[in-house]
Amino acid sequence: MPRRLKMAEEFEPRIVAFLCKWCSSAGSDLAGVSRMQYPPNVLPITVMCSGSVSPLYILDAFNKGADGVLVSGCHPGDCHYIKGNYYARRRIALVKKLLEFIGLEPQRFQMSWVSAAEGTKYTQIISDFVKDLKPLGPQTKLRRNQ
Amino acid sequence: MRKKTGVFVCHCGINIAGTVDVKKVAKELSKHPGVDHSEEYVYMCSDPGQNLITEAIKEKKLDNVVVACCSPTLHETTFRNTAKESGINNFQCEIANIREQCSWVHKDMEKATDKAIKITKSAVEKVRQNESLEPISIPVTRRALVIGGGIAGIQAALDIANSGYEVILVERNPSIGGHMIQLSETFPTLDCSQCILTPKMVEVSKHPKIKLMNYSEIQEISGYVGNFKVKILKKPTYVDPDKCTLCDECTKVCPVVMSNEFDLGLTGRKAIYIPFPQAIPATYTLDIKGCPGLLPIACGKCADVCEPEAIDYDMKPEIIEEEVGAIIVATGYDLYEKEMLAEYGYGKYADVLDGLQFERLCSASGPTQGKILRPSDHKEPKEVVFIQCAGSRDPELHCAYCSKICCMYTAKHAMLYKHHVHDGQAYIFYIDIRSGGKGYEEFVQRAVEEDGVLYLRGKVSKIFEDKGKIKVWGVDTLIGKDIEIDADMVVLATAMRPSDGAAELAKKLKIAMDKDGFLAEAHPKLRPVESVTSGMFLAGAAQAPKDIPEAVAQASGAAAKAVSILSQDRLYHSPTVAKVNLNLCTGCGMCVYVCPYDALTLKDGKVEVNEVLCEGCGTCSATCLRAAINVKNITPSQVHEMIQACLGG
């Protein structure tokens, strides 16, 4: 069922974040260890490498009602798997174009580079993402009525 | 048959239970389809906690379990072993990270609990489709490669060789010894550096298990832990070490004088030379950069006088292929160029030396046979200024980091200077004195109290030549006054930086570097001698600035790590590798092209996975248009279910 919002209730976007195991997931762990605070709107899915994130995962997340999707990997040149994130970068650029072409707001889909040492950066990215998504309201363009 | 899943929610004291309603998580999960058992406990990782898991698996005949607790980097192995001991495969256990990615980063209990439930459900969906897997077993080549023949490389090679394994020690210079062999004395004991290093160098040259490859460089490395293939370029020395009798006749007739790198340019050497008398291997090298030509018609004087006919102008570069199981990288450091330091004269004043040049001046084997004399006029300097942090701790212009050894070696330099020139005065400009280490603080105190070294806290703003003196303008921040010294000599404690060529080598080895170009360790605290690539270890100043005892300790640590690989009969590789669905594969080869490990090949129109080479990154899986190739236990079907669990409700 699509969520119905009460008028008074503030919109809380739901974000699916695909984090690579070696850098971004470790970076989000560091944010936790350092007790940094960010909004609970993000649901992390740890994958081996940002290069393994298929465009289908992104579309599926939007189909299933995600208001925003984040793909985060190691910094370019620092990939645990040598060059997986370079493939991710090219592929994600195409997915971004496709999503814009079909009319999805560009702010709903982001890619970032977060290393295992960048807990602060991860915190910042999530906080900014949530802030950016709030004015957009729920994502309906790609949501399939289930 | 329907799979039965067990869910175990950890309180982690109040670390999780403080922000997540763990009872509610367990209750909600018990309602989730397919979950047959759900409970919470204060510390799941404790023995009683693990026993709960074991009992539930046995009693309720669970097929798989999810533990909702801390990050999988911490206790995944613990709980997978528990699962295995309880009779199910380790891969039938998944971790839901509800601490680092949930309870610790949120304050709102209701929202955090809701998120924890979703994270746990997503792990349940994943584990239900996990395959039971056994580790892939691979053989081990029981030899090691050590790159770099400084003190760290020498120590690592000796330790491995003394454990009974063969070692190939590759050094790019004509002799091993590194920078340590250039030093005169070492702090804090004032041991003669050559005297303590040369026995180790001789041991390397005589050791039956060590194959020393001097004047050689790594050209290419392929393979994986336990089974690396290395191509080593052996540069021609044009001298046959077996025939050479070290008579030194060749250097007498050689007409070419070049800068002597062993004395850091303070002296010259001939184009055919032995770096220093105790060089290992003891042989001459013809430096092609200076030799007028290998054609005997151009010069050929050295070959004419060589009685044993050791000189061979036709020697060619050779590429030698070796197989090894573990690699230790000990490429060491070089000094930050004083030419980069504008405030200290860009290296254009002859009497402004760097630390290693001063070591050569103090050394009995140095250009002045241990007399401290000014390079410009060979007079004894009566006022010497030592400047610490030359290039270190200067994020705006030079290196941001502390080079760690300079405080100590500057104290040593000032002390050695006073021991040579009793009526001289040594001044040291410093920012802070960092003398952490056994006997180090006492050593600095000794310099101040016994040798009357004057420590001035502050930086030098400018030095310049003035009437045969080096004028030093500085400030003493403790008394708040400008200082002007007419010095006879200035010694800069220039920063340590990664050695030339370390970055190119790191690329060939596929190991990471930190922001300053030093090689990155796998974990700053818990895995300080391992690189991120398994089977490759780090030793010495290549990893970070460090002094001799630390380099030796790290080298021995790296050697022990390498031996722990070499001593195995077989190694085990993670079985979460790519798998091809032959019915779907059309043999388009796109995955073969993107694979970072060359683990995929086309065979009879279908793709084949080399499970030993595959690291399971999944780049192939995202590339395949037909979903014909997937990584085991993180398949698209699993990810889609995880997305559903995250967004459901």
Side-chain angles (χ1 to χ4, degrees):
Chain A
M1 284 291 288
R3 287 166 302 157
R4 289 191 187 87
L5 288 179
K6 286 177 202 136
M7 289 304 282
E9 193 182 337
E10 196 188 1
F11 167 62
E12 289 295 347
R14 294 185 301 176
I15 301 169
V16 174
F18 296 98
L19 310 177
C20 84
K21 176 175 170 173
W22 304 98
C23 291
S24 297
S25 187
S28 85
D29 277 357
L30 180 65
V33 172
S34 319
R35 309 295 199 278
M36 291 163 187
Q37 297 290 314
Y38 55 82
N41 306 51
V42 59
L43 287 149
I45 293 181
T46 301
V47 292
M48 297 305 278
C49 178
S50 56
S52 76
V53 177
S54 156
L56 291 176
Y57 297 173
I58 298 155
L59 291 171
D60 187 42
F62 283 123
N63 281 166
K64 287 178 174 147
D67 300 302
V69 173
L70 173 75
V71 178
S72 189
C74 309
H75 282 265
D78 256 357
C79 181
H80 182 81
Y81 296 111
I82 310 164
K83 53 183 183 179
N85 57 0
Y86 288 128
Y87 292 119
R89 183 164 66 175
R90 290 189 222 167
R91 192 177 294 133
I92 295 307
L94 289 176
V95 174
K96 212 168 170 55
K97 274 190 181 169
L98 172 74
L99 292 174
E100 281 169 35
F101 176 73
I102 57 180
L104 194 80
E105 296 91 334
Q107 300 95 306
R108 292 201 187 271
F109 177 54
Q110 288 197 10
M111 168 134 215
S112 64
W113 314 114
V114 175
S115 81
E118 293 178 327
T120 328
K121 187 175 175 190
Y122 183 76
T123 306
Q124 195 60 46
I125 285 169
I126 299 301
S127 309
D128 290 348
F129 201 3
V130 172
K131 212 188 288 166
D132 289 349
L133 289 175
K134 281 197 172 173
L136 297 180
Q139 181 273 125
T140 49
K141 192 95 197 165
L142 287 172
R143 177 187 294 160
R144 223 182 268 146
N145 286 328
Q146 294 169 1
Chain B
M1 205 177 77
R2 193 181 68 99
K3 280 191 180 168
K4 292 180 178 175
T5 305
V7 176
F8 303 86
V9 187
C10 180
H11 298 206
C12 195
I14 57 159
N15 281 309
I16 295 171
T19 18
V20 168
D21 182 349
V22 282
K23 287 197 166 42
K24 188 175 170 196
V25 175
K27 197 171 156 222
E28 282 296 316
L29 262 295
S30 69
K31 297 181 207 156
H32 191 74
V35 174
D36 277 46
H37 180 91
S38 179
E39 65 179 313
E40 24 77 32
Y41 184 68
V42 60
Y43 288 111
M44 273 297 165
C45 58
S46 65
D47 268 1
Q50 292 182 55
N51 288 341
L52 287 178
I53 300 176
T54 306
E55 281 163 26
I57 291 174
K58 289 190 173 155
E59 276 173 27
K60 302 206 173 169
K61 300 203 165 38
L62 299 176
D63 294 300
N64 44 47
V65 292
V66 166
V67 187
C69 56
C70 51
S71 167
T73 53
L74 298 170
H75 275 304
E76 188 177 70
T77 319
T78 313
F79 293 121
R80 286 196 164 170
N81 287 340
T82 309
K84 190 166 186 175
E85 284 159 19
S86 318
I88 60 175
N89 186 272
N90 344 15
F91 289 91
Q92 297 302 340
C93 169
E94 282 290 340
I95 304 296
N97 180 353
I98 60 165
R99 193 178 76 173
E100 282 83 348
Q101 294 183 344
C102 187
S103 73
W104 273 352
V105 284
H106 307 311
K107 286 207 176 85
D108 184 322
M109 190 136 187
E110 193 189 331
K111 286 178 178 165
T113 306
D114 183 51
K115 177 172 166 181
I117 292 169
K118 286 176 176 165
I119 292 175
T120 314
K121 281 183 178 172
S122 138
V124 169
E125 291 305 327
K126 179 170 192 286
V127 79
R128 291 161 63 133
Q129 294 189 47
N130 269 5
E131 276 181 65
S132 292
L133 301 171
E134 292 302 332
I136 297 163
S137 148
I138 46 176
V140 184
T141 310
R142 296 179 140 181
R143 307 169 79 200
L145 169 71
V146 176
I147 306 170
I151 177 60
I154 289 173
Q155 184 65 42
L158 285 174
D159 284 354
I160 299 171
N162 287 336
S163 311
Y165 301 99
E166 270 181 57
V167 182
I168 302 159
L169 176 60
V170 173
E171 166 59 49
R172 66 175 168 191
N173 290 320
S175 170
I176 56 169
H179 283 308
M180 186 175 164
I181 199 70
Q182 295 175 302
L183 308 182
S184 66
E185 273 87 21
T186 55
F187 60 80
T189 49
L190 297 185
D191 276 327
C192 155
S193 185
Q194 297 195 336
C195 313
I196 56 175
L197 181 58
T198 45
K200 282 186 185 288
M201 290 165 60
V202 173
E203 197 183 342
V204 165
S205 73
K206 304 269 190 245
H207 204 295
K209 294 274 185 190
I210 298 179
K211 178 176 172 186
L212 174 59
M213 293 186 67
N214 64 311
Y215 218 44
S216 302
E217 286 178 25
I218 302 298
Q219 201 171 49
E220 204 180 301
I221 289 198
S222 59
Y224 46 89
V225 56
N227 298 277
F228 293 107
K229 285 195 175 64
V230 193
K231 281 188 188 160
I232 303 163
L233 170 71
K234 181 140 185 57
K235 296 176 279 187
T237 59
Y238 303 105
V239 179
D240 184 344
D242 298 330
K243 289 188 187 160
C244 176
T245 58
L246 301 172
C247 68
D248 204 37
E249 290 301 322
C250 52
T251 62
K252 287 179 196 154
V253 297
C254 179
V256 183
V257 179
M258 303 173 71
S259 167
N260 184 355
E261 48 285 86
F262 186 69
D263 284 335
L264 296 120
L266 293 176
T267 57
R269 63 157 170 84
K270 296 296 182 68
I272 188 160
Y273 70 110
I274 184 163
F276 48 94
Q278 309 96 318
I280 298 283
T283 183
Y284 283 72
T285 301
L286 178 58
D287 187 345
I288 189 136
K289 285 199 292 290
C291 182
L294 296 170
L295 289 172
I297 198 166
C299 174
K301 289 194 171 68
C302 50
D304 289 345
V305 296
C306 186
E307 269 182 30
E309 298 184 338
I311 294 168
D312 173 8
Y313 294 124
D314 295 327
M315 210 179 259
K316 293 276 177 293
E318 268 181 272
I319 291 185
I320 293 159
E321 290 188 31
E322 297 281 1
E323 290 187 6
V324 294
I327 297 174
I328 293 179
V329 191
T331 47
Y333 73 96
D334 277 318
L335 286 186
Y336 192 72
E337 291 79 2
K338 56 183 181 188
E339 286 72 18
M340 302 286 285
L341 300 163
E343 60 275 39
Y344 305 143
Y346 289 119
K348 68 183 170 207
Y349 307 128
D351 296 328
V352 178
L353 306 177
D354 65 30
L356 275 177
Q357 287 178 319
F358 193 74
E359 292 283 348
R360 296 307 304 144
L361 275 192
C362 297
S363 170
S365 70
T368 53
Q369 283 79 47
K371 290 196 193 79
I372 296 180
L373 301 173
R374 279 157 51 111
S376 61
D377 56 9
H378 293 261
K379 284 188 187 146
E380 199 174 60
K382 296 295 179 193
E383 309 249 305
V384 178
V385 173
F386 296 87
I387 302 174
Q388 292 194 179
C389 297
S392 305
R393 302 179 67 193
D394 191 345
E396 277 79 29
L397 295 173
H398 307 295
C399 311
Y401 53 86
C402 165
S403 293
K404 202 172 181 181
I405 61 165
C406 323
C407 288
M408 292 310 297
Y409 83 62
T410 305
K412 176 191 75 180
H413 281 169
M415 210 184 259
L416 291 177
Y417 166 68
K418 285 290 291 184
H419 294 176
H420 284 91
V421 184
H422 303 300
D423 58 345
Q425 180 60 54
Y427 305 88
I428 297 180
F429 280 94
Y430 70 101
I431 306 179
D432 300 291
I433 294 299
R434 296 179 170 179
S435 54
K438 199 169 175 174
Y440 286 11
E441 177 58 23
E442 295 90 323
F443 186 76
V444 174
Q445 289 306 324
R446 182 179 153 195
V448 176
E449 287 161 15
E450 291 181 20
D451 295 304
V453 175
L454 201 57
Y455 272 85
L456 301 163
R457 188 181 193 277
K459 284 209 90 167
V460 171
S461 59
K462 193 177 178 183
I463 59 179
F464 56 97
E465 257 176 354
D466 185 40
K467 296 178 196 123
K469 297 266 183 184
I470 307 277
K471 209 173 259 301
V472 178
W473 283 354
V475 63
D476 184 335
T477 54
L478 292 181
I479 54 168
K481 274 195 178 160
D482 291 343
I483 305 274
E484 187 179 315
I485 300 170
D486 284 330
D488 297 309
M489 186 189 273
V490 172
V491 181
L492 305 174
T494 39
M496 266 173 139
R497 61 167 178 83
S499 67
D500 291 323
E504 291 84 67
L505 182 68
K507 276 210 183 91
K508 284 179 195 161
L509 299 176
K510 293 167 188 152
I511 54 180
M513 290 178 295
D514 65 20
K515 63 180 187 353
D516 301 312
F518 291 103
L519 301 176
E521 62 280 6
H523 187 284
K525 296 180 199 78
L526 300 176
R527 295 170 68 193
V529 305
E530 293 162 71
S531 78
V532 286
T533 310
S534 65
M536 294 196 195
F537 306 99
L538 313 174
Q543 181 251 337
K546 51 173 73 76
D547 60 15
I548 297 166
E550 283 181 330
V552 171
Q554 196 188 16
S556 289
K561 284 280 176 190
V563 167
S564 75
I565 290 175
L566 304 180
S567 58
Q568 305 285 322
D569 287 328
R570 298 186 77 78
L571 290 175
Y572 294 94
H573 180 69
S574 166
T576 48
V577 293
K579 184 179 172 184
V580 181
N581 182 336
L582 293 174
N583 294 329
L584 296 175
C585 179
T586 59
C588 71
M590 271 166 62
C591 55
V592 178
Y593 175 74
V594 300
C595 178
Y597 298 95
D598 299 327
L600 305 175
T601 39
L602 270 179
K603 205 176 175 187
D604 305 328
K606 302 276 178 191
V607 167
E608 204 176 68
V609 181
N610 179 335
E611 296 200 334
V612 174
L613 288 179
C614 178
E615 290 283 330
C617 67
T619 301
C620 52
S621 139
T623 306
C624 183
L625 296 174
R626 293 161 195 86
I629 186 163
N630 293 313
V631 175
K632 290 176 188 172
N633 290 354
I634 178 100
T635 60
S637 155
Q638 284 175 302
V639 176
H640 291 307
E641 288 303 329
M642 287 168 84
I643 295 171
Q644 178 67 48
C646 285
L647 295 170

